[in-house]
Amino acid sequence: MDRKPLTLHRLRELYATGEKLTMLTCYDAVFAQVLDAAGVEILLVGDSLGMVLQGHDSPLPTTLEEMAYHTRCVARGNRSAWIVADMPFGSYYETVEQGVRSAAALMQAGAHMIKLEGGGWTVPLVRALVERGIPVCGHLGLTPQSVHALGGWRVQGRSDEAAATLKRHAQELAQAGAAMIVLELVPAALAREITAELPIPTIGIGAGAGCSGQVLVLHDMLDITPGKKARFVRNFMEGAPGIDAAVRSYVSEVKAGRFPDDRLHSR
Protein backbone atom coordinates (compact mmCIF):
# COMPACT_ATOMS: atom_id res chain seq x y z
CA MET A 1 0.00 0.00 0.00
CA ASP A 2 1.54 3.26 -1.18
CA ARG A 3 0.20 6.24 0.73
CA LYS A 4 1.44 9.62 1.79
CA PRO A 5 2.57 9.97 5.43
CA LEU A 6 -0.38 10.54 7.74
CA THR A 7 -0.42 13.98 9.33
CA LEU A 8 -2.60 15.41 12.07
CA HIS A 9 -4.32 17.51 9.41
CA ARG A 10 -5.09 14.38 7.37
CA LEU A 11 -6.42 12.53 10.42
CA ARG A 12 -8.69 15.48 11.12
CA GLU A 13 -9.94 15.34 7.53
CA LEU A 14 -10.78 11.64 7.86
CA TYR A 15 -12.58 12.34 11.13
CA ALA A 16 -14.54 15.20 9.56
CA THR A 17 -15.81 12.92 6.79
CA GLY A 18 -16.93 10.30 9.31
CA GLU A 19 -14.37 7.70 8.28
CA LYS A 20 -13.41 5.41 11.16
CA LEU A 21 -9.79 5.65 12.31
CA THR A 22 -7.74 2.51 12.91
CA MET A 23 -5.09 2.15 15.61
CA LEU A 24 -3.08 -0.85 16.83
CA THR A 25 -0.31 -1.14 19.38
CA CYS A 26 3.15 -1.61 17.92
CA TYR A 27 6.48 -2.11 19.63
CA ASP A 28 9.08 -2.92 16.95
CA ALA A 29 10.27 -2.15 13.42
CA VAL A 30 9.02 -5.32 11.71
CA PHE A 31 5.45 -5.00 12.95
CA ALA A 32 5.57 -1.28 12.14
CA GLN A 33 6.24 -2.21 8.52
CA VAL A 34 3.46 -4.81 8.50
CA LEU A 35 0.84 -2.57 10.10
CA ASP A 36 1.73 0.43 7.99
CA ALA A 37 1.58 -1.59 4.77
CA ALA A 38 -1.80 -3.04 5.80
CA GLY A 39 -3.30 0.44 6.10
CA VAL A 40 -3.40 1.05 9.85
CA GLU A 41 -3.45 4.82 10.31
CA ILE A 42 -2.13 5.06 13.88
CA LEU A 43 0.58 3.01 15.58
CA LEU A 44 0.42 3.19 19.37
CA VAL A 45 3.70 2.52 21.13
CA GLY A 46 1.87 1.58 24.30
CA ASP A 47 3.23 1.18 27.79
CA SER A 48 1.34 -2.11 27.51
CA LEU A 49 4.71 -3.39 26.31
CA GLY A 50 5.47 -3.89 29.99
CA MET A 51 2.83 -6.63 30.02
CA VAL A 52 3.00 -7.88 26.43
CA LEU A 53 6.78 -7.96 25.95
CA GLN A 54 8.22 -7.91 29.46
CA GLY A 55 5.79 -10.16 31.35
CA HIS A 56 4.69 -7.72 34.05
CA ASP A 57 1.12 -7.83 35.37
CA SER A 58 0.59 -4.10 34.72
CA PRO A 59 2.23 -1.31 32.69
CA LEU A 60 3.55 0.42 35.83
CA PRO A 61 7.16 -0.91 35.63
CA THR A 62 7.64 0.44 32.08
CA THR A 63 10.19 3.27 32.05
CA LEU A 64 10.56 6.37 29.91
CA GLU A 65 13.85 5.01 28.56
CA GLU A 66 12.12 1.80 27.46
CA MET A 67 9.31 3.77 25.84
CA ALA A 68 11.83 5.88 23.93
CA TYR A 69 13.71 2.76 22.81
CA HIS A 70 10.59 1.08 21.40
CA THR A 71 9.43 4.35 19.83
CA ARG A 72 12.74 4.54 17.97
CA CYS A 73 12.28 0.95 16.79
CA VAL A 74 8.77 1.64 15.49
CA ALA A 75 9.84 4.89 13.84
CA ARG A 76 12.59 3.09 11.91
CA GLY A 77 10.16 0.52 10.55
CA ASN A 78 7.30 2.91 9.83
CA ARG A 79 6.86 4.70 6.54
CA SER A 80 3.54 6.54 6.62
CA ALA A 81 1.49 5.81 9.76
CA TRP A 82 1.00 8.31 12.60
CA ILE A 83 2.99 7.28 15.69
CA VAL A 84 1.60 7.86 19.18
CA ALA A 85 3.81 7.10 22.20
CA ASP A 86 2.56 6.57 25.74
CA MET A 87 3.91 8.66 28.58
CA PRO A 88 4.72 5.93 31.14
CA PHE A 89 3.82 5.83 34.81
CA GLY A 90 5.55 8.54 36.84
CA SER A 91 7.01 10.37 33.85
CA TYR A 92 4.57 13.31 34.14
CA TYR A 93 3.20 13.07 37.68
CA GLU A 94 5.45 15.57 39.48
CA THR A 95 5.31 18.83 37.56
CA VAL A 96 4.36 20.26 34.18
CA GLU A 97 8.08 20.74 33.55
CA GLN A 98 8.75 17.05 34.12
CA GLY A 99 5.94 16.18 31.72
CA VAL A 100 7.29 18.49 29.02
CA ARG A 101 10.75 16.93 29.32
CA SER A 102 9.33 13.41 29.11
CA ALA A 103 7.19 14.26 26.09
CA ALA A 104 10.17 15.89 24.37
CA ALA A 105 12.19 12.69 24.84
CA LEU A 106 9.49 10.63 23.13
CA MET A 107 9.12 13.12 20.29
CA GLN A 108 12.88 13.06 19.75
CA ALA A 109 12.66 9.26 19.62
CA GLY A 110 10.26 9.50 16.66
CA ALA A 111 6.75 9.94 18.06
CA HIS A 112 4.34 12.27 16.27
CA MET A 113 2.03 12.56 19.28
CA ILE A 114 2.16 11.59 22.95
CA LYS A 115 -0.61 9.98 24.97
CA LEU A 116 -1.23 10.55 28.67
CA GLU A 117 -3.79 9.15 31.05
CA GLY A 118 -6.31 10.94 33.21
CA GLY A 119 -8.39 14.07 33.28
CA GLY A 120 -8.61 17.10 35.53
CA TRP A 121 -5.08 17.29 36.87
CA THR A 122 -3.56 16.64 33.42
CA VAL A 123 -5.17 19.68 31.79
CA PRO A 124 -2.31 22.15 32.59
CA LEU A 125 0.22 19.71 31.11
CA VAL A 126 -1.89 19.17 27.99
CA ARG A 127 -2.11 22.91 27.50
CA ALA A 128 1.64 23.35 28.02
CA LEU A 129 2.48 20.60 25.53
CA VAL A 130 0.12 21.92 22.86
CA GLU A 131 1.51 25.43 23.30
CA ARG A 132 4.97 23.95 22.62
CA GLY A 133 3.86 22.20 19.44
CA ILE A 134 3.53 18.68 20.84
CA PRO A 135 0.28 16.96 19.77
CA VAL A 136 -1.55 15.23 22.61
CA CYS A 137 -3.89 12.25 22.85
CA GLY A 138 -5.81 11.92 26.10
CA HIS A 139 -6.90 8.64 27.70
CA LEU A 140 -10.02 8.32 29.87
CA GLY A 141 -12.12 5.56 31.37
CA LEU A 142 -10.08 2.59 32.49
CA THR A 143 -6.61 4.13 32.79
CA PRO A 144 -4.18 1.21 33.25
CA GLN A 145 -1.62 3.27 35.17
CA SER A 146 -4.29 3.74 37.86
CA VAL A 147 -5.46 0.12 37.84
CA HIS A 148 -4.85 -0.35 41.57
CA ALA A 149 -6.81 2.76 42.52
CA LEU A 150 -9.66 1.73 40.22
CA GLY A 151 -10.00 -1.68 41.82
CA GLY A 152 -8.77 -3.69 38.85
CA TRP A 153 -9.62 -3.93 35.16
CA ARG A 154 -13.21 -2.75 35.51
CA VAL A 155 -15.65 -0.81 33.34
CA GLN A 156 -15.67 2.87 34.25
CA GLY A 157 -18.48 5.45 34.13
CA ARG A 158 -21.38 3.24 35.15
CA SER A 159 -22.91 5.61 37.72
CA ASP A 160 -24.42 8.98 36.83
CA GLU A 161 -21.71 10.76 38.82
CA ALA A 162 -18.87 8.83 37.20
CA ALA A 163 -20.36 9.39 33.73
CA ALA A 164 -20.65 13.14 34.37
CA THR A 165 -17.02 13.25 35.48
CA LEU A 166 -15.86 11.46 32.33
CA LYS A 167 -17.83 13.85 30.16
CA ARG A 168 -16.38 16.85 31.96
CA HIS A 169 -12.83 15.55 31.72
CA ALA A 170 -13.23 14.86 28.01
CA GLN A 171 -14.46 18.39 27.38
CA GLU A 172 -11.63 19.86 29.45
CA LEU A 173 -9.00 17.87 27.55
CA ALA A 174 -10.43 19.00 24.22
CA GLN A 175 -10.54 22.62 25.36
CA ALA A 176 -6.91 22.37 26.50
CA GLY A 177 -5.94 21.34 22.97
CA ALA A 178 -5.89 17.54 22.99
CA ALA A 179 -6.35 16.35 19.42
CA MET A 180 -7.68 12.87 20.22
CA ILE A 181 -8.93 10.87 23.22
CA VAL A 182 -8.80 7.13 23.86
CA LEU A 183 -11.86 5.82 25.73
CA GLU A 184 -11.18 2.48 27.42
CA LEU A 185 -13.74 0.20 29.07
CA VAL A 186 -16.55 2.75 29.03
CA PRO A 187 -20.21 1.73 28.50
CA ALA A 188 -21.01 1.96 24.80
CA ALA A 189 -23.88 4.41 25.30
CA LEU A 190 -21.70 6.77 27.34
CA ALA A 191 -18.83 6.58 24.84
CA ARG A 192 -21.26 7.40 22.05
CA GLU A 193 -22.51 10.45 23.98
CA ILE A 194 -18.98 11.69 24.69
CA THR A 195 -18.01 11.21 21.04
CA ALA A 196 -21.04 13.16 19.82
CA GLU A 197 -20.29 16.05 22.17
CA LEU A 198 -16.59 16.42 21.34
CA PRO A 199 -15.02 18.34 18.44
CA ILE A 200 -12.14 15.80 18.28
CA PRO A 201 -12.02 12.05 17.50
CA THR A 202 -12.35 9.37 20.14
CA ILE A 203 -10.60 6.01 19.82
CA GLY A 204 -12.42 3.22 21.61
CA ILE A 205 -11.21 0.02 23.23
CA GLY A 206 -14.01 -1.83 24.92
CA ALA A 207 -16.12 1.31 24.48
CA GLY A 208 -18.45 0.32 21.67
CA ALA A 209 -18.94 1.14 18.03
CA GLY A 210 -19.92 4.76 18.56
CA CYS A 211 -16.35 6.04 18.85
CA SER A 212 -14.54 7.73 15.96
CA GLY A 213 -12.08 4.85 15.69
CA GLN A 214 -10.82 1.72 17.41
CA VAL A 215 -7.64 0.36 18.97
CA LEU A 216 -6.62 -3.10 20.13
CA VAL A 217 -3.44 -4.55 21.53
CA LEU A 218 -1.76 -6.18 18.53
CA HIS A 219 -0.96 -9.41 20.32
CA ASP A 220 -4.57 -9.74 21.49
CA MET A 221 -6.13 -9.38 18.04
CA LEU A 222 -3.56 -11.83 16.62
CA ASP A 223 -4.50 -14.29 19.40
CA ILE A 224 -0.90 -14.50 20.60
CA THR A 225 -1.55 -13.37 24.17
CA PRO A 226 -1.98 -16.41 26.43
CA GLY A 227 -4.97 -16.83 28.69
CA LYS A 228 -8.53 -15.55 28.51
CA LYS A 229 -9.09 -12.48 26.36
CA ALA A 230 -11.15 -9.46 27.32
CA ARG A 231 -14.69 -9.33 25.98
CA PHE A 232 -13.84 -6.46 23.64
CA VAL A 233 -11.14 -8.47 21.83
CA ARG A 234 -11.75 -10.26 18.55
CA ASN A 235 -9.38 -12.87 17.14
CA PHE A 236 -8.61 -11.60 13.64
CA MET A 237 -6.23 -14.50 12.95
CA GLU A 238 -9.20 -16.86 12.84
CA GLY A 239 -9.68 -17.78 9.19
CA ALA A 240 -6.81 -15.53 8.04
CA PRO A 241 -3.92 -17.05 6.03
CA GLY A 242 -1.39 -14.84 7.80
CA ILE A 243 -0.70 -11.78 9.93
CA ASP A 244 -0.91 -9.32 7.04
CA ALA A 245 -4.37 -10.60 6.11
CA ALA A 246 -5.50 -10.46 9.75
CA VAL A 247 -4.43 -6.82 10.09
CA ARG A 248 -6.07 -5.91 6.79
CA SER A 249 -9.25 -7.59 8.00
CA TYR A 250 -9.12 -5.50 11.19
CA VAL A 251 -8.78 -2.31 9.16
CA SER A 252 -11.63 -3.32 6.87
CA GLU A 253 -13.95 -4.34 9.71
CA VAL A 254 -13.38 -1.11 11.64
CA LYS A 255 -13.80 1.03 8.54
CA ALA A 256 -17.05 -0.74 7.66
CA GLY A 257 -18.40 -0.41 11.19
CA ARG A 258 -18.58 -4.19 11.66
CA PHE A 259 -16.08 -4.14 14.53
CA PRO A 260 -16.78 -3.76 17.32
CA ASP A 261 -20.24 -5.27 17.53
CA ASP A 262 -21.90 -3.73 20.59
CA ARG A 263 -23.78 -6.97 21.23
CA LEU A 264 -20.52 -8.93 21.54
CA HIS A 265 -17.72 -6.54 22.43
CA SER A 266 -19.31 -3.87 24.66
CA ARG A 267 -21.14 -3.34 27.92
Side-chain angles (χ1 to χ4, degrees):
M1 180 178 180
D2 187 18
R3 64 178 178 183
K4 294 181 180 179
L6 270 292
T7 63
L8 188 55
H9 179 71
R10 177 56 181 155
L11 291 172
R12 285 170 172 158
E13 287 183 338
L14 294 174
Y15 163 68
T17 64
E19 182 169 342
K20 297 288 187 177
L21 302 176
T22 58
M23 176 190 284
L24 285 172
T25 63
C26 186
Y27 315 110
D28 62 51
V30 171
F31 270 115
Q33 293 176 3
V34 172
L35 271 54
D36 180 32
V40 178
E41 281 112 0
I42 308 168
L43 308 183
L44 172 61
V45 187
D47 59 359
S48 53
L49 68 87
M51 303 172 71
V52 175
L53 301 185
Q54 298 175 337
H56 299 296
D57 60 3
S58 82
L60 272 64
T62 308
T63 67
L64 181 62
E65 291 73 20
E66 290 166 343
M67 289 302 306
Y69 168 80
H70 285 278
T71 300
R72 286 192 292 270
C73 292
V74 170
R76 283 194 289 267
N78 179 53
R79 180 176 178 181
S80 63
W82 181 255
I83 299 174
V84 179
D86 266 340
M87 299 265 277
F89 179 76
S91 68
Y92 56 104
Y93 285 33
E94 297 174 15
T95 63
V96 167
E97 290 74 20
Q98 182 207 24
V100 170
R101 286 194 300 271
S102 298
L106 295 176
M107 297 294 285
Q108 288 175 327
H112 302 131
M113 169 183 271
I114 63 91
K115 180 168 76 64
L116 50 79
E117 295 183 5
W121 68 274
T122 61
V123 167
L125 174 56
V126 172
R127 187 175 295 111
L129 292 172
V130 173
E131 287 174 349
R132 287 158 176 78
I134 298 177
V136 175
C137 176
H139 186 149
L140 297 173
L142 187 284
T143 46
Q145 291 174 18
S146 304
V147 64
H148 299 308
L150 297 174
W153 308 92
R154 304 168 60 183
V155 176
Q156 303 296 306
R158 286 193 183 278
S159 70
D160 290 343
E161 181 180 1
T165 298
L166 279 176
K167 288 183 179 182
R168 185 179 75 253
H169 284 171
Q171 289 288 349
E172 290 171 349
L173 287 171
Q175 291 167 7
M180 191 181 300
I181 296 177
V182 168
L183 297 176
E184 181 169 359
L185 277 183
V186 172
L190 174 59
R192 191 180 296 273
E193 288 180 30
I194 292 173
T195 300
E197 293 171 359
L198 289 179
I200 59 174
T202 59
I203 306 296
I205 176 167
C211 296
S212 314
Q214 297 294 324
V215 61
L216 285 176
V217 171
L218 176 65
H219 294 59
D220 288 348
M221 59 83 70
L222 295 179
D223 199 34
I224 297 172
T225 309
K228 185 180 179 180
K229 308 297 185 298
R231 179 177 176 176
F232 57 76
V233 174
R234 174 174 158 186
N235 175 13
F236 282 88
M237 280 300 296
E238 186 175 3
I243 289 174
D244 177 74
V247 176
R248 290 180 185 275
S249 175
Y250 169 77
V251 172
S252 176
E253 292 293 282
V254 171
K255 294 286 186 186
R258 292 188 292 266
F259 177 80
D261 182 335
D262 283 353
R263 296 169 298 175
L264 302 175
H265 306 112
S266 305
R267 295 183 185 273

